[in-house]
Amino acid sequence: MDVIVLGGGLMGTASAYFLARRGARVTLIERNRIGTGATVASFGNIRRTGRHLSQLPLAHRSLRLWGEAEKMLGRDVEFRATGHIRLIFDEGSLADMRAYAQAARPCGLELEELGPNEICSRFPGLGPGAIAASFSPHDGSGNPRLIAPAFAEAARKLGAEIVEGAKVETIKHTGSSFVVASSKGTFAAECLLNAAGAWGAGIAAQFGEEVPLEARGPQMGVTEPLPHRILPVVGIWTRDKDYGAYLRQVERGNIVFGGAAERVAVELDPGHAAADPMRLPVQLRAVARLLPAIAKAAVIRTWSGCEGYVRDMLPVMGQSATTPGLFHAFGFCGHGFQLGPGVGDAMAELMMSGRCETPLDDFRVDRFGRAV
């Protein structure tokens, strides 16, 4: 089977790799460079905690693949299963965590509840004043700058053609194949995978499938290197978005942080948001609630990117409802990094066999047109 993959982020490159591994002849087309969209803007969080329950089977599938990534791709993409802790500062958030933990347990996610003394002894320096926390020991983080290029290179070694810097001009469906005309030439294949991130809704609309999606950019930052003391990824359970911060410390000592700053609207051309330095002090106050020591660290870089947010905060995945041979995998709403390898594997299975062992029905592209 011939496949054109549109989009060179984590979803597109992982799909290209797993398709090629299953024997498909793959051409991946990226408008910029591999991994420069939502993937490189990512925090690198590999978490299952707090996910919509319908995503957990896909998240479990993906976590298994993250664990195999270095051997599979032939390079270290800095996946570290250091655990994921979410701190709790009020009784309402504690109730939310307990309700989620109970609902997620039948879906295969076990969360450990920690009290204040356990937080202090196991994770010194984190969350003074926290009344509790959840801990997921098998989650962790990866490097957003490494993973998409690693998948692309591994796909190339399996025979996939990777075309960068190719602006798509037209996409046509002839009935038996898709023809994509780009600034780097014209390509044809019997199947098309739309993994174009925030641009995915525009491609779907060309085939009569409307997806309510907004392009938004997060505000991210990183500090100077500090002594390495924080192993898990750190987040928070809260209903107040002003406190919704998160952080992790990389092995080189820098602390990467995000959250607690509203995502800003992004124009799809050129498709990059700029971080707003005026919002940094408020953001850092929220991060300091989780890690007071960050207040004394110098912030050396801030950045943003372009992410696609679907109205119901669930991705679009699966087969087109209007066009045979068209498939979608986009709109991961700023929390797709953990899912990436699983998305690629699941889409390859679906496209090559017509079935998928992981349930994807909640992510169907036509869900917005169905009667309520």
Side-chain angles (χ1 to χ4, degrees), residues 236-320:
I236 185 172
W237 287 96
T238 180
R239 302 173 187 178
D240 188 342
K241 63 181 181 181
D242 292 336
Y243 288 111
Y246 44 86
L247 64 94
R248 65 184 179 94
Q249 188 173 28
V250 303
E251 292 169 354
R252 294 170 290 281
N254 311 77
I255 295 173
V256 186
F257 61 88
E262 185 114 18
R263 289 168 169 84
V264 298
V266 184
E267 294 292 335
L268 290 178
D269 188 10
H272 286 285
D276 181 359
M278 298 299 291
R279 299 190 299 164
L280 186 58
V282 174
Q283 186 179 36
L284 282 172
R285 280 198 292 274
V287 177
R289 193 182 193 197
L290 310 181
L291 178 68
I294 203 170
K296 298 180 180 179
V299 176
I300 60 174
R301 186 168 70 91
T302 59
W303 68 94
S304 188
C306 186
E307 300 170 334
Y309 287 80
V310 182
R311 183 175 62 204
D312 61 5
M313 292 300 288
L314 292 176
V316 174
M317 278 186 72
Q319 193 162 358
S320 165

Side-chain angles (χ1 to χ4, degrees), residues 208-220:
E209 298 183 302
E210 297 295 331
V211 176
L213 178 146
E214 293 183 350
R216 295 194 168 273
Q219 176 148 316
M220 308 298 301

